[in-house]
Amino acid sequence: MPAFRQVGEKQLPNPVLCMAWSPKRDLIALANTTGELLLHRLASFQRVWSLPPIECTGKEISALAWRPDGKILAFSLRDTKQVVLCGVEKAEILHVFPMQNAVTCMHWMEVTEESSALSSFYNSEDESKLFLPKLPTLPKSYSTTSKIFSEEKSDEIMNLLGEVRLNILVLGGDSGSVELYAYGMYKIATLTAVSGTCRSLSLSSDLKSLSIIAEVRSADNNPEICYIQLDTSLLSDCLPEVTRMARKFTHISTLQQYLHLSLTCMCEAWEDILMQMDLRLTKFVQEKNTSTQVQDEFLELLLWGQSSPELQALLMNQLTVKGLKKLGQSIESSYSSIQKLVISHLQSGSEALLYHLSEVKGMSLWKQKFEPLGLDSEAIEGAITAVGSFSLKANELLQVIDKSMKNFKAFFRWLYVAMLRMCEEHVPPELNKMTQKDIAFVADFLSEHFSENEELFDRKGKYFNVERVGQYLKDEDDDLVSPPNTKGNQWLKFLQESTHLKESPLLFPSYPQKSLHFVKRMMENMIEQCLQKPAEVIGKSVKQSVFLPLYTVPESPENTPRLFELPSLWNDKKAKMHYVLFCMPEISLSKLYLLRKPTDPNRNIPNTVVSIDLSHHLDNADDDNTAAQPSCVYSCLDARFYDDEMLTVVLQSSEEQNKRRILAQLPLASTMSCEAEFKWEPNMRLDQQSGAVPCQSLVLGNQWRELESMKAQFVAVNGIRKVACVLSANLRHIRVFEMDVEDEDDEGAESQNTSADQDMLDTTMSSTGQGGEEHAEAEADAGGQTGQTGGVLQNTEERLESEEALELS
């Protein structure tokens, strides 16, 4: 029986650019050349969902990374220079943020260090739940104008927080740009000590150093592959403080996203319903051809109960009694929706923002702990003030809505009765009563909504104005067209007359001339200032500790991605070591090189570089297998760390007639025990002194398998889940393997559970109208990308949960 068990194989319609295994589940994410993101599971390599490219984010995926808990998938887009966080269970885009440079590689790590200070913080992190109510669920979007968030809910937004233990998303790009995002949301460091284009990177789990593989231009302008190690000891020395600060700012970033989506829902409610009403009444007013103002004719109808024949004809023919009633109900419904969103979402989110910012201010005042990280109490105080102003503006909008609703209700009730009388129909007694207050409301409505201001509307008095609420929701810098009337406000009068309170820092400024969008944008800018300073301070503390030029590479065409190419980085958490795997084909086709560096830049170890000689016969225990040759020279096509003690490699024989491909596992024990020490000559590349590198012979045992009928080229592995995915040179042919299947007894027991679970999952897939992967591939073969994710996403959450339950059993 050959080593490793093949469990899936597919011919994909589009070339794959990136692939990454989930750290927690048997799921692999693939990104192809069309910009589509695919999620497959191990069982028969069946597709779980697909996320088509979206115009507002981008179409050229350049890197993938899973959050350590496996619930969020990050991917970068080269064409729009954005990073997207996607919820795995429902394929929902939860967060998007821009980058200065295009991202070429990313790595998402989790801190493993423990301390008493961190343990107490982990236990008390949810204290905010004791003081703050749970944020209400966001409604579905009213229209398709915001497809990116069309099914968004507050629970998914809160999933951005993830676990309390610190995890950091590291993003590397061209021009040497490297940024660190705590919890994938909050930028805690911007690094400037890197030159060249980042090819891969790895932050150590103890936060002491960051390893980077960069492509750097040499003095003679040739591209060189270099290993760079950056000292990030400030992060490790201040780990409890960094965790507390990052967690708070992640709460704040998540709340900002929540407020943004709430305001988006408000704007859609306004645009889709009220603006339709605006257009209908505008058309009604424009079709009136007499010189008399509409406002005057309505006032005559209000005061004397008489209307001109033209107004009567317009009312009866254009609006109609039924249309008027429907219009009134739509207005009331939309106003109520906006009002509820302000009360339950904007105000709740603002209160939570004030709570977390106040706690961050308290942290900033503990200068001994937090001043080295760049927390500025003055900037935080400015952010608190801006959030207070936003709350005031939201409350002002509530008052405007309340007044507008009263006027609208009174106007439509009065006009409805007037039109019934014109039709000589029966008027219900409860509608026939009008108090002096109702008449005042109607008069206010006529004066406010049938404007004669030619400068504002250029309609010569024939424009119906419903901007009283809409002006607050416009994302513009212009002042409000109709600011609230503050005359007679006793509190404002008292403040103006008070010498001490007039400029008091305890009072939030209200900005009466500005819209809600304007104040929200000002609030976001103030909070952004709080976020930026720690990233600058921490970034400046990071210094380069190691710079090792490895080898030269041939000049590649512009925009050619090197997404799968070696070198490969690995962080051994137990031994606290960085490993770099690479080949130097121009020096030796049959050698694989391993560079080791401790995560602590001040610690020295012998044998920094060793090589593995691949020119060795395959030691085969199966006599019936005639594929094994007595001896053969192999070259390494791809190599990845399977775990701390094992490498997974794709090898190619040097035979001209039969260049067979081999998938193999290489134990590292013999390589690490190499006694000879390599002394790196300064000012020289490694390829210029490769003859002095200690060498170990290849030991495979029976841990290899020939990849027949496949031009295998690349491999992605997950040692925790014990799986590997091999990709062909044309980037379309994929094979999936379970790697550890030697124990037949354990395998049999597990396979029974797996098959039972698989039957349940297949039943679920068929019940949702999806014919499994065959259905998805048939769609792809027939026409490529359908762009429809709705049907595929149904019951995905239940399927993933059932998988997780099996894995934990």
Side-chain angles (χ1 to χ4, degrees):
M1 177 181 175
F4 325 137
R5 180 172 63 189
Q6 181 174 323
V7 293
E9 182 172 14
K10 288 292 175 185
Q11 288 283 351
L12 301 177
N14 298 296
V16 173
L17 290 179
C18 312
M19 53 183 180
W21 282 102
S22 166
K24 294 293 185 182
R25 296 175 173 140
D26 293 333
L27 298 169
I28 187 169
L30 307 173
N32 60 32
T33 52
T34 68
E36 185 181 23
L37 184 64
L38 308 168
L39 189 71
H40 288 258
R41 67 164 170 256
L42 181 63
S44 303
F45 203 67
Q46 191 172 29
R47 185 185 299 181
V48 179
W49 52 251
S50 64
L51 184 68
I54 301 173
E55 290 292 338
C56 56
T57 56
K59 296 183 178 180
E60 298 179 21
I61 297 178
S62 58
L64 289 175
W66 288 83
R67 196 168 73 179
D69 64 2
K71 294 181 179 179
I72 301 290
L73 183 62
F75 60 94
S76 59
L77 296 147
R78 188 188 309 274
D79 49 342
T80 58
K81 297 181 181 178
Q82 293 189 111
V83 175
V84 180
L85 303 186
C86 174
V88 173
E89 292 186 344
K90 297 181 181 178
E92 290 178 323
I93 295 179
L94 302 180
H95 186 59
V96 181
F97 57 90
M99 300 289 293
Q100 290 293 327
N101 300 287
V103 174
T104 54
C105 56
M106 58 173 61
H107 172 238
W108 208 332
M109 57 74 67
E110 184 176 53
V111 175
T112 58
E113 295 297 298
E114 294 287 355
S115 69
S116 57
L118 276 175
S119 299
S120 62
F121 172 64
Y122 294 157
N123 296 330
S124 64
E125 198 270 339
D126 286 337
E127 282 183 351
S128 60
K129 294 181 180 178
L130 300 175
F131 306 106
L132 295 172
K134 184 179 179 181
L135 292 177
T137 301
L138 285 166
K140 293 183 180 180
S141 294
Y142 287 88
S143 71
T144 57
T145 57
S146 204
K147 289 182 180 178
I148 185 172
F149 299 116
S150 61
E151 296 293 328
E152 192 51 278
K153 300 287 178 60
S154 60
D155 290 342
E156 277 70 28
I157 288 294
M158 292 301 112
N159 279 343
L160 286 169
L161 290 171
E163 298 177 359
V164 184
R165 183 184 296 276
L166 180 63
N167 58 75
I168 298 177
L169 176 62
V170 190
L171 305 172
D174 48 20
S175 305
S177 62
V178 178
E179 294 185 351
L180 278 61
Y181 284 79
Y183 303 102
M185 290 281 291
Y186 163 53
K187 184 163 65 175
I188 57 170
T190 302
L191 311 184
T192 57
V194 183
S195 56
T197 298
C198 295
R199 293 268 294 267
S200 60
L201 34 74
S202 175
L203 181 63
S204 65
S205 61
D206 58 9
L207 289 185
K208 289 186 177 180
S209 60
L210 172 64
S211 283
I212 300 174
I213 297 297
E215 185 176 320
V216 182
R217 290 285 175 177
S218 63
D220 52 0
N221 203 33
N222 291 322
E224 293 181 346
I225 298 298
C226 302
Y227 171 75
I228 302 169
Q229 190 174 26
L230 303 180
D231 184 349
T232 58
S233 55
L234 177 62
L235 292 175
S236 61
D237 294 342
C238 302
L239 177 57
E241 291 77 24
V242 169
T243 304
R244 287 174 178 269
M245 180 183 72
R247 190 65 177 175
K248 278 298 168 190
F249 274 126
T250 305
H251 272 288
I252 290 166
S253 298
T254 304
L255 287 168
Q256 284 184 279
Q257 178 79 346
Y258 178 82
L259 290 176
H260 171 75
L261 293 178
S262 300
L263 199 53
T264 299
C265 291
M266 291 168 57
C267 293
E268 289 182 352
W270 175 259
E271 291 169 2
D272 288 357
I273 301 174
L274 291 187
M275 295 309 287
Q276 292 178 13
M277 181 263 314
D278 177 24
L279 291 174
R280 288 176 65 181
L281 289 186
T282 299
K283 183 180 179 182
F284 161 70
V285 175
Q286 286 176 330
E287 290 184 1
K288 186 177 182 306
N289 297 319
T290 61
S291 59
T292 311
Q293 298 294 337
V294 174
Q295 180 181 354
D296 296 337
E297 294 203 13
F298 272 122
L299 283 174
E300 288 183 9
L301 181 60
L302 175 64
L303 295 176
W304 314 115
Q306 296 179 352
S307 63
S308 66
E310 187 183 38
L311 178 61
Q312 185 172 342
L314 283 171
L315 289 173
M316 302 310 297
N317 297 331
Q318 292 293 333
L319 285 181
T320 73
V321 175
K322 186 177 179 180
L324 180 68
K325 188 175 182 180
K326 186 177 180 180
L327 203 55
Q329 291 172 346
S330 298
I331 293 170
E332 185 174 355
S333 173
S334 62
Y335 271 150
S336 298
S337 298
I338 297 173
Q339 199 172 38
K340 289 175 183 176
L341 284 167
V342 174
I343 295 172
S344 61
H345 293 71
L346 289 192
Q347 291 188 336
S348 298
S350 300
E351 290 170 2
L353 262 182
L354 283 173
Y355 173 88
H356 290 295
L357 280 170
S358 299
E359 288 212 331
V360 173
K361 184 185 176 183
M363 291 160 56
S364 69
L365 296 176
W366 194 353
K367 297 188 180 297
Q368 179 185 0
K369 293 281 188 181
F370 291 96
E371 194 172 42
L373 299 177
L375 273 188
D376 185 353
S377 57
E378 290 186 6
I380 297 168
E381 183 62 43
I384 291 174
T385 301
V387 175
S389 297
F390 180 75
S391 296
L392 287 179
K393 183 58 66 172
N395 190 61
E396 180 184 307
L397 176 58
L398 279 180
Q399 296 175 10
V400 173
I401 291 175
D402 186 61
K403 183 179 179 182
S404 294
M405 283 185 73
K406 289 178 180 176
N407 290 347
F408 265 113
K409 281 183 178 180
F411 173 74
F412 278 101
R413 179 183 173 184
W414 162 75
L415 190 57
Y416 181 66
V417 171
M419 291 177 69
L420 286 178
R421 287 175 178 160
M422 292 177 188
C423 298
E424 298 182 354
E425 293 184 10
H426 173 69
V427 179
E430 63 272 12
L431 296 179
N432 208 11
K433 298 176 182 177
M434 277 197 72
T435 64
Q436 192 65 34
K437 197 171 185 180
D438 293 334
I439 295 175
F441 281 147
V442 174
D444 286 343
F445 178 89
L446 293 173
S447 64
E448 290 179 0
H449 294 82
F450 290 93
S451 174
E452 298 181 21
N453 192 330
E454 296 183 14
E455 293 181 1
L456 290 176
F457 302 109
D458 194 27
R459 301 282 187 172
K460 298 182 179 179
K462 297 180 180 180
Y463 183 79
F464 184 80
N465 173 23
V466 290
E467 295 297 304
R468 188 68 62 183
V469 173
Q471 62 182 346
Y472 283 85
L473 304 178
K474 286 186 175 180
D475 193 5
E476 298 174 355
D477 292 336
D478 297 336
D479 290 349
L480 296 178
V481 174
S482 304
N485 184 7
T486 57
K487 291 181 180 178
N489 189 311
Q490 297 298 320
W491 170 248
L492 292 178
K493 183 179 179 181
F494 171 71
L495 289 182
Q496 292 298 325
E497 294 175 354
S498 172
T499 306
H500 301 287
L501 289 178
K502 189 174 182 179
E503 304 296 334
S504 173
L506 300 175
L507 300 175
F508 299 138
S510 59
Y511 304 101
Q513 303 293 326
K514 297 299 182 181
S515 70
L516 183 66
H517 256 295
F518 179 89
V519 179
K520 171 181 167 287
R521 192 162 58 248
M522 182 184 67
M523 174 188 73
E524 291 171 342
N525 291 336
M526 294 300 292
I527 293 176
E528 184 64 26
Q529 291 180 22
C530 296
L531 303 182
Q532 284 179 349
K533 191 168 182 182
E536 294 172 1
V537 171
I538 296 174
K540 289 178 181 177
S541 74
V542 176
K543 305 298 181 185
Q544 181 176 291
S545 59
V546 176
F547 183 88
L548 299 176
L550 301 179
Y551 56 94
T552 59
V553 292
E555 193 77 42
S556 62
E558 291 187 8
N559 299 324
T560 300
R562 298 178 178 270
L563 303 179
F564 294 113
E565 294 184 11
L566 293 173
S568 172
L569 290 173
W570 178 261
N571 173 225
D572 187 337
K573 300 177 178 61
K574 294 179 181 178
K576 297 187 176 181
M577 298 285 292
H578 286 293
Y579 294 107
V580 187
L581 269 177
F582 57 97
C583 295
M584 296 189 289
E586 296 184 0
I587 302 300
S588 174
L589 284 172
S590 61
K591 284 187 179 180
L592 177 64
Y593 294 85
L594 178 64
L595 168 66
R596 301 191 300 162
K597 279 291 178 181
T599 58
D600 186 350
N602 300 317
R603 173 182 157 209
N604 292 318
I605 61 165
N607 306 327
T608 54
V609 183
V610 293
S611 63
I612 302 173
D613 186 4
L614 304 176
S615 57
H616 188 73
H617 72 276
L618 295 176
D619 185 9
N620 184 30
D622 189 356
D623 295 335
D624 297 332
N625 191 339
T626 58
Q629 302 296 323
S631 63
C632 189
V633 177
Y634 289 89
S635 59
C636 181
L637 300 177
D638 198 11
R640 305 289 159 181
F641 271 87
Y642 182 74
D643 54 30
D644 294 337
E645 301 172 352
M646 191 77 70
L647 299 179
T648 303
V649 295
V650 176
L651 305 177
Q652 176 180 283
S653 69
S654 58
E655 304 169 24
E656 292 296 329
Q657 301 297 326
N658 180 24
K659 288 195 172 184
R660 60 178 183 153
R661 263 78 166 180
I662 302 294
L663 176 66
Q665 296 281 73
L666 303 184
L668 288 173
S670 59
T671 305
M672 298 302 182
S673 62
C674 180
E675 297 180 358
E677 183 175 351
F678 173 71
K679 294 184 179 180
W680 198 298
E681 293 294 332
N683 303 320
M684 290 181 66
R685 291 193 314 268
L686 180 64
D687 59 358
Q688 296 171 334
Q689 47 187 323
S690 60
V693 176
C695 184
Q696 290 289 317
S697 60
L698 171 66
V699 178
L700 282 181
N702 64 349
Q703 291 297 296
W704 63 274
R705 174 179 180 140
E706 183 173 354
L707 300 170
E708 299 175 349
S709 305
M710 182 184 188
K711 292 186 177 180
Q713 185 78 25
F714 307 106
V715 65
V717 296
N718 184 345
I720 298 174
R721 308 304 306 164
K722 304 184 187 304
V723 289
C725 182
V726 180
L727 180 65
S728 64
N730 67 2
L731 308 179
R732 293 173 183 263
H733 186 189
I734 277 184
R735 285 183 186 172
V736 186
F737 297 91
E738 287 183 342
M739 305 300 284
D740 294 355
V741 293
E742 294 86 356
D743 192 338
E744 295 294 335
D745 295 335
D746 292 346
E747 178 190 341
E750 184 177 349
S751 64
Q752 290 180 4
N753 293 334
T754 304
S755 61
D757 183 64
Q758 184 60 43
D759 291 341
M760 181 185 68
L761 294 176
D762 292 340
T763 303
T764 304
M765 287 293 289
S766 61
S767 66
T768 58
Q770 303 299 317
E773 178 63 17
E774 290 75 18
H775 174 82
E777 293 301 333
E779 286 184 343
D781 294 338
Q785 313 308 316
T786 63
Q788 302 297 322
T789 61
V792 179
L793 300 184
Q794 291 179 4
N795 291 326
T796 302
E797 184 175 358
E798 289 83 357
R799 297 202 308 277
L800 296 182
E801 286 176 353
S802 63
E803 282 187 20
E804 193 170 33
L806 172 67
E807 292 156 9
L808 295 175
S809 61

